[in-house]
Amino acid sequence: MTTVSLDDAADQERKAPGRPRNARADAAIIEAVLELLSAGQSADALSMEAVAAKAGVGKATVYRRWPNKEALLIDAIRTMKGPPPVPAGESVREDLVMLIAGMRNKRMEHYGKVTACLVPELLKSPEMYTIYQSAMEPRRDVMRQVLVRGVANGDLRADLDIELTMLMLSGPTIAQNMLRWNPNVPDQGFAEALVDAVLRGAAA
């Protein structure tokens, strides 16, 4: 039986106009980026050649999909974070608990090292900072809309600072995910405890 490599599949795809991109090749390339970053490779030093080698495809295959490293990193970060969650829309508290719990699941644990490797790049590279923000904003907006709805229906204070409240909810979550900043705070019930602590000041 003849085995078709990811690169061969990508070439066949390129030779057939109108065919969709090879999903296996796309996934392998994205996963290669995330594996290299989680292994300690800095985003600045990451090369398209290294990604291609890790994914088992030719460099041309990578460039046919992403014109440059920045575009590839945006897609890798979006893939790492996954699609934005969809709140039920019935309870502000329950929606916030769901969002915080989603930031602390096994998937986020797995990619914690990737985020840690990106932090130095975000601090020194305005371009990488913009890339990261563009990938994060759709998820951030989900939480923003939950809080806006809470203010509109009277569950939350009318003068609530929405952006600061988002930071109060997300900051501790990120600190515990990346650094386990305070080991005395238990993982069990973390999302509920954090949301309830913030809502004590935010509730109408």
Side-chain angles (χ1 to χ4, degrees):
M1 185 176 71
T2 303
T3 302
V4 178
S5 71
L6 288 176
D7 226 16
D8 290 338
D11 284 340
Q12 290 172 12
E13 156 213 325
R14 179 174 56 84
K15 293 171 184 176
R19 287 188 62 185
R21 286 177 13 171
N22 184 283
R24 283 195 307 140
D26 286 7
I29 293 166
I30 290 292
E31 188 57 33
V33 174
L34 297 175
E35 286 183 11
L36 287 168
L37 290 173
S38 65
Q41 175 77 71
S42 73
D44 190 46
L46 190 72
S47 69
M48 299 290 258
E49 291 81 0
V51 170
K54 183 75 173 174
V57 302
K59 186 170 67 171
T61 299
V62 180
Y63 275 110
R64 278 198 297 272
R65 288 155 167 76
W66 294 276
N68 51 50
K69 184 173 71 174
E70 288 70 27
L72 177 55
L73 283 169
I74 289 176
D75 275 359
I77 293 170
R78 284 176 177 158
T79 300
M80 177 179 73
K81 296 298 183 182
V86 180
E90 297 175 2
S91 161
V92 170
R93 179 186 182 274
E94 294 307 313
D95 285 349
L96 292 176
V97 167
M98 182 271 287
L99 294 175
I100 298 302
M103 294 170 67
R104 306 217 61 211
N105 58 25
K106 290 296 180 184
R107 176 188 177 87
M108 291 301 103
E109 240 179 66
H110 176 66
Y111 290 126
K113 289 182 180 178
V114 178
T115 304
C117 290
L118 285 172
V119 169
E121 311 303 321
L122 302 179
L123 294 176
K124 70 182 182 182
S125 168
E127 188 172 29
M128 270 305 300
Y129 178 80
T130 301
I131 288 171
Y132 185 78
Q133 290 298 334
S134 70
M136 287 300 298
E137 182 57 25
R139 301 181 67 85
R140 197 159 43 224
D141 195 52
V142 173
M143 183 180 290
R144 182 182 292 115
Q145 294 310 314
V146 170
L147 295 173
V148 167
R149 189 184 77 236
V151 172
N153 65 23
D155 288 340
L156 303 179
R157 291 167 42 178
D159 63 346
L160 184 70
D161 187 323
I162 300 291
E163 300 302 315
L164 183 58
T165 303
M166 289 165 54
L167 180 59
M168 292 168 67
L169 289 163
S170 302
T173 308
I174 295 168
Q176 288 296 93
N177 281 357
M178 290 178 56
L179 303 172
R180 189 138 181 84
W181 189 84
N182 188 343
N184 296 318
V185 175
D187 290 331
Q188 186 69 32
F190 174 86
E192 291 84 355
L194 176 62
V195 168
D196 287 342
V198 172
L199 286 183
R200 277 194 285 273

